[in-house]
Each structure stands twice: as C-alpha cells, then as structure tokens.
Amino acid sequence: MTTIRRRTLIAAAGAATLAAPAVRAQGVSFAGQTIEWVIPFAEGGGSDVWARFLAPFLSRHMPGRPNVVIRNVPGGGSITGTNDFYQRARPDGLTFIGTSGSTQFPFLLGDRRVRYDYANMPPVIVSPTGGVVYLPARFNVRNASELGRLRGTELVYASQGATSLDLVPMLAFIVLGLNVRHVFGMRGRGEGRLALERGEATIDYQTSSAYLQQVRPMVERGQVVPLFSWGVLDAQGNVQRDPTFPDLPHFVEAYEMMHGRRPSGVEFNAYMAFFASGFAAQKPAMLPPRTPANIVQAYRQAFAAAVADPELQANKAEALGDYEQAVGDAVEPLYRIATTIDPAAREWARNFLATTYNVRFN
Amino acid sequence: MTDVIFSALLGLLTIERFAFMLLGVSVGLVIGVLPGLGGIAGLSLLLPFIYGMDPVAAIAMLIGLVAVVPTADTFSSVLMGIPGSSASQATVLDGFPLAKQGEAARALSAAFFASMFGGLFGALVLTGAVLAARPIILMFGSAELFMLTLFGLSTVAALSGGNLAKGIAAACLGLAFGMIGAAPATGEYRMDFDTLYLSDGIALVIVGLGIFALPEMFDLLRNGGSIAEGQKLGKGWFQGLRDVVRNWWLSLRCAGIGALIGAIPGIGGSVVDWIAYSHAMQTTKDKSGYGKGDIRGVIAPESANNATQGGALLPTLLFGIPGSGSMAIFLAGMILIGIQPGPAMADRNLDVTYTIIWSLAIANVLGTALCIILAPQISRLTLIRYSLIAPFMVMVICFAAFQASRSFWDLVALLAVGVLGVFMRRFGWSRPAFLIGFVLSLGAERYLYQAVQFSGLEFLTRPLVLVILALTLLSLWAGLRKSSAAVNTEGSVETSRAERMWPQIAFGAFLLAIFGFVVLEGLKNSYLAMLFPVIVGSLGFAMVLLVMAAQLRGPVKAGTANFDTEANATDRGPWPFLLWFTAFIAGVAVVGFFAALIVWFVVFLTVVARTRPLTTVLLTAVACGFILVLASFLNLVFPGGLLQEMVRLPWPFR
C-alpha cells in the first residue's frame, strides 16, 4: 500500500510541474477541429448534463473555436469508459474526459477493475456540488445541536448502494454517531426522497437543486427539518458553508453542535476523502496522461474564460448550481484532494465495507 | 386554470415552434420505424441541440418525438415481425400474422387509431392528474411495487404458449438473465464471469432484439420469398378504424392500464404492452384467435403504449423521477433549457406543464396522420424479396444493439441471446414469458427486499397490497382457466409434433444446466443476494424436469410438451443464416463494424440475394450512407476489432 501511495504522490508531483503556470499556451490552436469530450455515462445523467451545458462555452473560448462534442461511453458503472480513455486516448488535446464521484470512488477504494490513475491525468476544471441532510419534523429535532436526542432511535436511509455516492452519508452518520439502517437498491436520490415522503425512510439528503425544488416546500410546511449541508472546500482544503445555503451549518459545524468538539479520527479522514471526491470536487475534467503542457494550459485558460462568460453565469443555476467552479490555479489543489486518500483511511473504509456490507475487493 | 391551458396552446402555435414539433415528430417517426431504436436513441439524437433553444420549441420537439415513437414502431412489429421498440413487442403476436394473411393495412390502421386514442387519453389524464397525482404516486411504496411486479409476472400464465410448465420455466430463465450484474440488495456481482461488461447486466434492447428479431429474421430468410408471400396489402384501412371503434371499451381500459402503469415510477413502460395484451386475452371468451391474428391483440397493446407516455410524464414532472428510460433523457433536456421539475410544475410552472400536454396531444394526432399517409409506401417493403431487406435489418439491429454500451460485446450478447431465441422458438418455450421475466427480474427482487427492510412481513397487510394481490389472483385465474386455449406464442402445437425427441430433450438438458449454474452462482453470495437466484433457479430446474419427464415418455404421450417446429422441416433449418450473422459479428471482431458491414453487405447480396453488381454496390452505398448519417449525429464511434487495436484509422473506420 505504501509503495503505491508513494508512486501516486510522485506522479502527482510530476503532473503538477508539467502544468506549472509559467508555461504559456503557445501555438495551440484547434481551428477547424472537433474536440471529443468523453463522458463515461449514458445520455441524460448528471455528468452528461454538466458536460453538455459547458461544451458550447468551452468551444467559444478555446483557441481556434473548435467544435466540442460529447461522446458517451456508458457501461461498467463508468469504469469501462474511463479505463478505455486512460489506456487509449492520444495526448493531442483532441479528446478529454469528465468523470464523477462514482468514477473516483472505485479508484479511491482500490477496486481491482480500475485501470486508471487520476494522478497521471492533468485536470482542467473541477465542478463542486452539494446537498442538504434533512429529517422528518416528528423527531422533534429542530437543528443539528439536538441530534443527541436521536440516541437509541434507529433511523432508516434509502440508499443507492454501499459503494455508490451514498457512501458519503453513510460515513457521515457513522462519524456523527447516529444509528442508521441503510436500505439499498434505490435508483437515484429521487427514489430515496419518495421513500422519506411515504414515511418508509426517516433520514435523507438531496442535492442542492433537488432540495430547492422538492424539499424546501416541505420545510416551509413544517414537515421536515434541514440539519446541515455537506459544505464546500476552500483553497486550503477547509470545509466552508455551502453558498446556496449560507444559513445552514455544514457537516463539521453540525458535528461540533452535536458533540461540542471538532471531529477527528480515521473514520473522519475517510469521510473527508469521500466527501471531497463525491461533493466538493465531484466532477473533474482531465486530459489524457502525458498531454503536453501547452495544451493543458490552453484548456485551463479556456475553461477559466468559459466559466467567466457572462452568459454562462446567467444560465448556470439549473446545470451547475451556485458553486464556484475550480479553474485556472484553483484546479490542482482541489483535484488532488478529490483523488487521493490517506492509506489508513482507505484501509479502514475497505475493511468497514467488507465486513459490514460484504463488499468484495478481490 | 382554463386560461393557462389555452395560453399554453396559443404559445405553441407559432410557425417556428410548430416547425420544431414537426421536426421532432419526423425524427421520432424514422427512429420508431427502425427496429430496436426507440425514444432513448431518438432523444439522444436531439439532445445536443437543446441548449440555447427557445424552451417552448425545445419541449415541443422532444415531446413530439416521444409521442410518435410508440405509434411508428408498429410498422416493423406488424410488417416485419420485429418489435419496432420495446413498447410494441406484444403487437407482434397478432399484428404479424395479420400481415402475413394479407391484412397488413387493417392491422396498421387499427394500431394507428388505437395509438392515437391512447395518446390523447394519456394527455387527458395528465391534464387532470398533474394537479392531484402527488398523493396517488406516494401511495405506491416498495410493497405495492413488489406486488405490481408479481401482477406483471402473473400474465405469464396467459402467455405460456400451450404448456404451463414450459411457460414458467421460460419466465424463470428470463428472471435469471435479469439477475446478471449487481444484486440490488447488496451490490454483489452475480453471474458476471468477472467481466466489466456483464457487471451492468444485459440491456433490454439486446434481449428484445435477440429473442424476437433474430429468430424471425432467420425464419423469413428461410422462406425465401417476401413477407406478404405474394399477397396484396389489403384494403382494410376503414376496417381497422371500425375495429377500434367496435372495441372502444377494450381500448379505453388498456389506455387506462397504460397511463396508470406509466405513472408509477419503478415499473416502467416496457411491460405495459404485455399486460394490456394479456388483459385483452383474459377478458375475451373465445381466445382461439389470439396469436394467429386477432385484431384485439393489436388494439390492446397499441392503446396502452401511447397512453404510457402521458402517465410517465407525471412522476417525471412532479418528482423529477423519470418514469422510463426516455423520460430520463427528456429530464436532462428540461434541465438544459433551465427548467427543474418539481411540485412547481403543478403550480408556478403550470404553463410549461400544459405546453407539454398540448405538445403530446398534437404530436399524437400529427404522428398518426403521418403514419397513415406513409403506410402504403412503407408497407411495400413486405412485397420485396426478404433477402434484399435482411442485410438492412441486420445493420439496423446491430446498430440498435450497440447503443447499449457502445462496445463490441453488445453484438456478442446479441448473438448469444439470438441463438437462445432460435431454440426457444423452435421448441416452444414462450419468448414473451422470458421477456416478462427479464424485465421484471430486478424490480421484483429490489422491491421485495426493500419492502421487508422497510416494514417487515407486515407489508403484506397493507390495503393497496391486498388489492393488487386480488387483481393478481384474478389475472392468474383468468389466464389459467381453459389453459388449453392459451395463446400459442411460438406457433401451434398441432403442426409441431415431432417423432424424433432427442433435439428437444437435449435443449431441456441445456436449460437444466443453466438453472443449475444459476443456483450454484447464487449460493456464492451473502444471504440477501442469494435468495432470489436460488429460488428462481430451483423453480426453473423443477419445471424443466417436469417437461423433460413428459418428453421422455415418447412423442405421443408427451402431449403439449412435444414441440419442435423443425420436426417436418425439409431444408437445412435456420443454420445457414445464423452462420451468416455469426460471420458478420466475427468480421466486426477482426476489421471493426464499418469495414465488416461493407464487405458483408456485398457478399451477402451477391451470394444470397443474387443481385447484379450494380445493384449490390448501390444498396451497399445506401446502407453505409444511412448508417453514417445516424452515427455522426449521435457522435458515435463504431465498435472496433483487432485491426483497430493495431492501427489508428480515421472515422468511421476508427
């Protein structure tokens, strides 16, 4: 494990030096060419919408105004498409990939089917997302500081699976010390919310846009109580409040409200790694390994300009949310946090999933 | 409210927006006519153009497409015996025999009018229900959904094809195929042979095409002639309309079933046609015509599948939970034009909702009109020698199949399921039962597990659960009563009595081996992931044993268990054509899809269809041009072979 870790770090350092800001995007032009943005998911999913929204702006701000098209390569829970990209894509700047938390998690957990290494792919943009954990009002918990009242109560969470994005709430509940039973097999958070509305599930989270549309009306009617948001990460890797929900404590604050101290320990480290990868830096886009520095730079500048485009800013609400997109110099640190995990935390998470939920890694 | 409804209509009726709707309808028509391609492929085609469009125009275009697919997919179901999309599988059972009997025009016209009626009914349901559906949808929890999957499985009794044990075994086989991939309760991978490809399970489109389309194609090729066997298309256009009017009550009930099943998220539209079909059977006194060309067997599924779209929009709009695969992409389109679904769709965004409903209604009428106008031309296909059509079918079917995961393995899976389909057809193991099992497999397991986890075994006492249970028993009773009259999904027993029993017995032994494997693989898992495969595998095993026991008693005593459509065959069977198809797949493995397609087209046309060189070149060019246009719009890279592993080639050979 340690040797792998060291190799990962060295490779990451290599990628970082390659992409040092001093390098200019000299002589790069994609005029008259078509750039393929590989999305290892089917049409219509979250990652697909994300890429389709960004693509026209990227096209507008890339040198030479190339055509940017989305190529969906679904299958194998996004591992198939990413493996294929990692092994075959040419580092000529004409193809790059956008992945999601569900691609990062198997990598972080050391799934043996994974053939890609995030450390070798230079990132060009990282998009965060967020969500809010809430609870039916009948538990008489008005906010996170009263979560202690739930001691002894078994809550039910309708989950998409132990190694899905719902690993983050699972770890969060463990860190908080809540007693939660996970019922698997939901296909999307929407089904989880329906289960809560029907009274089958008793704790839930929704991503920001779904929360605003679907849960806020329930909050206003006094049916459910929001507890905390997942929060976002600042440039130093500290958790900050979600800009969409400035009045709501983030997870770490909620922990402090409940326990009176800051969270720590290996469980918390594992939580932080998967939270970063699943939310704070959920969707990174990367170029193939060994892409020349000037091309990487061209992409970073183009994404920075695309995100600053007033038209994008005016229309981003539904597709991107209110989150600050990490571009330019902000990409590297966030990307590194989202794609690395402390070996002890990884070992703990693997062990936990194997013993509690029969997840097999070998 | 009425002013919102009518201002939404006025908003639609500008030339630009209407043109976009017409565009959606036209694309939907083409995609629907092509076998295997349905709403998912069609919407994927339009998705790249959505961002930046006028929202109303975009909605009109997307809904236009969604609405017309289940109308247009009837063409290939009725004329070719190949389901045009997963929504029209049941239509094949009676539609295709009608076409063979020279009543294609009547079948098509009945189907189109039933479709239009169903579509309008769906739009009407949506109009009223969008304000009141929330509590109804919330009534269906995991327990109710589990019971609904049982209800769906109960239709197997009516579709078991003359021998109940065979029907149940076929359904179990489908259930087992559906379990390939991650177990819903634990995420453990079952029967995936440690491959990434199978870890996602096999896609419905591949199973549908493999089990129905390939066997039908080989069969038609064997006959050598054209589909309509020299007959005319018949006149029957008014007859078809009269058929629908005369069966208005059946049509209405089936539209209701379609809208309801569509509206409940989690069951999905892909079994609606079968449920409607078996409902029609169960409620008719004289069932003897079903499977041989009873017009009610066309009206029922076609009324239901268009109504499903209106129903499926309810959970999509109100909860943001797509009611079907195409609704998931429609949802993505909505987000791209800046509309997030939710309760606001019945409130603040009511105008958007009514725009959708009007689009649905208008597109249904437009689609039906276009289908009727085009029908005489499209129907001519059945008069053409089938060996000229077959290569195009192979191309489109393969193209549809690799939409699933865009990989070569999609084609291998298609071939494997196709071979299974050939044998199931030959030996009379109900393919509809297989398909129903396949579609409901994961749902049944998922919802049972969730129901038990959420509320223990008490879930059985919930009132709605009991109601659905009663309906299920009723449907079982209706399907089993006079079971000898059950529809012969694979042909009639009388003409398929064999003297040589060993081919049937060998296939039975093969099925035994599969079920044994299912049980063994199941036992490798933890308790929750083990239960279903072990039960299904054991039940299937027992049923096959029962069938084989009868078969071993000799050709006469075996009764309905003796079934072999090849019994009196004098030619070489479907093997030559299966070999042709296999050769194509092998070609793809070597030189990639596009190059293999060109070579295969030329060779097949020259050798089998015996066309002149000029015709061969012309037909090949048309086929290649068509597939290139489609692929470039979808931004698709064709599956590659060994050649592509070694050298980099420009698109489309890449």
Side-chain angles (χ1 to χ4, degrees):
Chain A
M1 194 55 73
T2 35
T3 51
I4 292 171
R5 172 78 181 145
R6 192 170 303 133
R7 219 185 318 133
T8 318
L9 279 182
I10 292 166
T17 33
L18 261 183
V23 186
R24 288 274 164 78
Q26 278 163 343
V28 179
S29 173
F30 295 103
Q33 288 180 296
T34 295
I35 291 179
E36 276 190 353
W37 188 346
V38 175
I39 296 296
F41 298 91
E43 285 88 349
S47 294
D48 184 55
V49 171
W50 167 71
R52 284 183 197 276
F53 176 76
L54 286 172
F57 297 102
L58 179 66
S59 162
R60 185 182 297 173
H61 295 282
M62 271 299 237
R65 285 201 163 210
N67 191 15
V68 179
V69 296
I70 310 298
R71 186 148 91 80
N72 302 81
V73 189
S78 81
I79 296 178
T80 310
T82 315
N83 276 349
D84 192 55
F85 174 85
Y86 188 81
Q87 289 168 342
R88 287 166 168 236
R90 269 198 288 192
D92 54 8
L94 292 179
T95 172
F96 71 113
I97 191 169
T99 65
S100 173
S102 18
T103 327
Q104 276 102 259
F105 281 17
F107 171 73
L108 292 180
L109 286 167
D111 190 317
R112 71 199 149 86
R113 301 171 301 170
V114 167
R115 302 268 177 276
Y116 45 88
D117 186 345
Y118 273 93
N120 293 334
M121 294 185 278
V124 290
I125 185 175
V126 177
S127 289
T129 183
V132 176
V133 175
Y134 62 100
L135 195 74
R138 64 172 185 277
F139 288 105
N140 283 323
V141 174
R142 280 167 300 178
N143 57 51
S145 67
E146 298 180 352
L147 272 173
R149 292 187 186 174
L150 291 173
R151 221 155 265 154
T153 312
E154 188 191 53
L155 299 170
V156 177
Y157 179 82
S159 164
Q160 299 170 77
T163 53
S164 73
L165 276 181
D166 284 343
L167 176 61
V168 177
M170 181 185 278
L171 295 174
F173 300 149
I174 289 176
V175 172
L176 285 172
L178 296 176
N179 176 13
V180 178
R181 185 153 52 92
H182 295 262
V183 176
F184 298 122
M186 299 293 149
R187 290 166 308 167
R189 284 314 317 143
E191 290 191 357
R193 186 185 66 244
L194 235 56
L196 183 123
E197 285 190 56
R198 285 193 297 257
E200 294 178 328
T202 47
I203 190 162
D204 185 43
Y205 100 82
Q206 292 292 312
T207 52
S208 304
S209 59
Y211 178 86
L212 292 174
Q213 284 291 327
Q214 307 267 2
V215 184
R216 196 128 85 181
M218 294 194 276
V219 175
E220 282 158 5
R221 288 196 297 269
Q223 292 165 320
V224 299
V225 178
L227 293 175
F228 53 86
S229 73
W230 298 119
V232 294
L233 287 174
D234 65 15
Q236 284 73 46
N238 298 314
V239 183
Q240 300 292 343
R241 284 195 176 186
D242 188 322
T244 328
F245 311 101
D247 300 330
L248 216 55
H250 58 67
F251 172 75
V252 179
E253 288 179 290
Y255 182 93
E256 287 174 278
M257 287 162 74
M258 184 180 173
H259 295 278
R261 59 188 154 80
R262 288 189 66 79
S264 61
V266 70
E267 291 100 328
F268 180 64
N269 290 344
Y271 163 80
M272 281 302 289
F274 288 102
F275 151 70
S277 188
F279 291 99
Q282 189 193 54
K283 295 195 197 305
M286 294 85 65
L287 284 155
R290 292 179 298 281
T291 301
N294 57 341
I295 294 180
V296 176
Q297 207 49 30
Y299 265 80
R300 290 200 178 161
Q301 284 167 359
F303 265 116
V307 166
D309 192 312
E311 193 192 324
L312 180 143
Q313 288 297 330
N315 292 308
K316 70 175 183 179
E318 304 304 338
L320 300 178
D322 269 337
Y323 299 95
E324 197 181 322
Q325 308 297 309
V327 289
D329 292 339
V331 174
E332 281 286 349
L334 200 57
Y335 180 75
R336 202 157 332 122
I337 295 171
T339 56
T340 52
I341 183 169
D342 164 50
R346 180 213 300 255
E347 216 31 56
W348 178 88
R350 281 170 64 107
N351 194 30
F352 164 75
L353 288 170
T355 51
T356 322
Y357 294 108
N358 243 332
V359 179
R360 278 175 293 186
F361 292 99
N362 299 303
Chain B
M1 203 182 98
T2 33
D3 51 321
V4 185
I5 294 181
F6 286 103
S7 66
L9 176 62
L10 284 180
L12 261 180
L13 295 177
T14 71
I15 291 173
E16 190 208 343
R17 289 164 176 174
F18 202 77
F20 273 109
M21 184 194 288
L22 211 57
L23 179 70
V25 169
S26 314
V27 175
L29 201 72
V30 175
I31 291 291
V33 168
L34 295 174
L37 295 175
I40 297 178
L43 289 172
S44 305
L45 211 61
L46 297 181
L47 202 54
F49 308 103
I50 293 300
Y51 179 77
M53 266 181 79
D54 161 44
V56 176
I59 287 174
M61 181 170 83
L62 294 179
I63 291 289
L65 182 134
V66 169
V68 77
V69 164
T71 308
D73 63 3
T74 312
F75 277 117
S76 78
S77 298
V78 169
L79 298 177
M80 307 262 160
I82 293 175
S85 78
S86 61
S88 282
Q89 282 158 342
T91 313
V92 175
L93 284 192
D94 283 292
F96 191 47
L98 278 169
K100 279 186 179 169
Q101 293 155 20
E103 294 204 81
R106 176 188 173 205
L108 284 176
S109 122
F112 295 146
F113 283 110
S115 289
M116 185 174 81
F117 174 76
L120 291 176
F121 180 82
L124 192 70
V125 166
L126 193 57
T127 311
V130 75
L131 300 175
R134 221 180 146 81
I136 297 174
I137 289 175
L138 282 175
M139 272 163 65
F140 286 85
S142 323
E144 287 77 11
L145 290 173
F146 171 66
M147 292 312 294
L148 276 177
T149 59
L150 282 194
F151 175 72
L153 285 171
S154 75
T155 58
V156 166
L159 295 166
S160 59
N163 184 308
L164 190 61
K166 271 186 172 176
I168 297 176
C172 285
L173 194 64
L175 285 163
F177 265 70
M179 279 177 219
I180 296 174
T186 63
E188 286 165 89
Y189 294 108
R190 297 182 301 204
M191 300 183 271
D192 67 338
F193 297 93
D194 244 358
T195 57
L196 259 177
Y197 179 75
L198 287 177
S199 70
D200 267 0
I202 304 179
L204 171 63
V205 54
I206 292 178
V207 172
L209 288 175
I211 213 87
F212 286 113
L214 288 187
E216 205 55 62
M217 220 169 61
F218 300 148
D219 195 57
L220 286 168
L221 275 169
R222 273 173 78 182
N223 294 341
S226 62
I227 294 173
E229 286 162 12
Q231 302 189 37
K232 292 274 176 300
L233 299 167
K235 296 222 163 60
W237 291 100
F238 285 102
Q239 174 69 30
L241 177 58
R242 270 200 299 275
D243 285 324
V244 178
V245 175
R246 195 177 314 128
N247 290 296
W248 68 274
W249 176 228
L250 174 72
S251 193
L252 185 66
R253 278 177 311 180
C254 290
I257 292 174
L260 183 71
I261 303 268
I264 300 165
I267 298 298
S270 24
V271 283
V272 162
D273 51 335
W274 292 113
I275 292 179
Y277 184 87
S278 63
H279 172 74
M281 263 186 74
Q282 288 160 359
T283 50
T284 8
K285 280 206 188 75
D286 178 22
K287 298 176 193 172
S288 56
Y290 282 99
K292 297 172 192 156
D294 191 314
I295 197 73
R296 288 169 294 192
V298 173
I299 294 173
E302 288 302 318
S303 312
N305 64 15
N306 280 60
T308 309
Q309 307 293 349
L313 276 164
L314 275 175
T316 311
L317 297 178
L318 292 179
F319 293 95
I321 295 174
S324 66
S326 33
M327 283 302 144
I329 303 179
F330 176 67
L331 207 58
M334 298 254 301
I335 294 171
L336 283 175
I337 52 175
I339 301 166
Q340 186 84 27
M345 298 301 292
D347 181 22
R348 210 171 51 242
N349 291 338
L350 202 58
D351 53 333
V352 179
T353 307
Y354 283 121
T355 304
I356 291 173
I357 295 172
W358 277 115
S359 307
L360 190 63
I362 298 173
N364 259 295
V365 177
L366 266 179
T368 307
L370 279 177
C371 281
I372 289 174
I373 294 170
L374 292 174
Q377 271 66 42
I378 296 182
S379 303
R380 270 171 218 276
L381 286 176
T382 58
L383 301 174
I384 299 175
R385 212 150 38 96
Y386 195 69
S387 49
L388 289 175
I389 298 178
F392 287 90
M393 287 291 128
V394 166
M395 172 180 81
V396 174
I397 287 171
C398 289
F399 184 82
F402 71 70
Q403 295 307 306
S405 75
R406 319 276 150 89
S407 88
F408 171 67
W409 296 107
D410 289 330
L411 298 180
V412 177
L414 176 70
L415 176 63
V417 180
V419 172
L420 182 70
V422 166
F423 281 110
M424 289 183 73
R425 182 179 198 274
R426 172 172 170 183
F427 297 126
W429 299 79
S430 165
R431 289 173 295 162
F434 175 89
L435 199 84
I436 291 168
F438 176 80
V439 172
L440 293 176
S441 179
L442 280 189
E445 185 178 6
R446 175 189 301 121
Y447 296 127
L448 175 62
Y449 158 76
Q450 288 174 358
V452 172
Q453 283 279 300
F454 281 137
S455 43
L457 282 177
E458 277 167 47
F459 83 82
L460 287 170
T461 59
R462 292 164 66 131
L464 195 54
V465 167
L466 293 174
V467 171
I468 305 172
L469 183 66
L471 282 176
T472 308
L473 294 176
L474 200 69
S475 136
L476 269 181
W477 172 77
L480 290 177
R481 135 191 96 129
K482 284 189 264 162
S483 67
S484 56
V487 65
N488 290 315
T489 54
E490 315 301 319
S492 80
V493 183
E494 294 77 37
T495 57
S496 311
R497 197 150 287 163
E499 289 302 317
R500 274 187 327 159
M501 295 299 287
W502 71 264
Q504 299 182 51
I505 294 171
F507 185 65
F510 170 70
L511 291 182
L512 277 188
I514 290 191
F515 283 123
F517 175 76
V518 171
V519 173
L520 287 180
E521 276 285 297
L523 287 172
K524 285 185 191 163
N525 298 292
S526 62
Y527 179 70
L528 287 173
M530 176 188 81
L531 217 53
F532 246 70
V534 170
I535 292 175
V536 165
S538 312
L539 180 63
F541 197 88
M543 289 296 144
V544 177
L545 274 186
L546 239 129
V547 173
M548 285 176 75
Q551 286 170 347
L552 285 169
R553 290 168 64 202
V556 182
K557 282 189 178 163
T560 54
N562 182 355
F563 190 105
D564 186 347
T565 50
E566 302 289 315
N568 306 311
T570 47
D571 61 355
R572 283 173 296 172
W575 304 115
F577 301 106
L578 184 61
L579 221 64
W580 274 101
F581 186 72
T582 312
F584 175 56
I585 308 287
V588 177
V590 179
V591 294
F593 184 81
F594 195 67
L597 185 74
I598 298 175
V599 175
W600 190 82
F601 241 82
V602 171
V603 177
F604 186 92
L605 285 174
T606 313
V607 176
V608 178
R610 303 223 174 93
T611 49
R612 270 169 295 178
L614 185 67
T615 322
T616 307
V617 171
L618 218 64
L619 287 176
T620 309
V622 167
C624 293
F626 173 77
I627 210 80
L628 282 184
V629 169
L630 210 57
S632 67
F633 270 109
L634 282 168
N635 187 33
L636 220 103
V637 173
F638 294 115
L642 285 175
L643 182 67
Q644 281 76 9
E645 294 274 338
M646 292 185 293
V647 255
R648 285 188 186 269
L649 297 163
W651 192 84
F653 295 98
R654 175 147 71 107

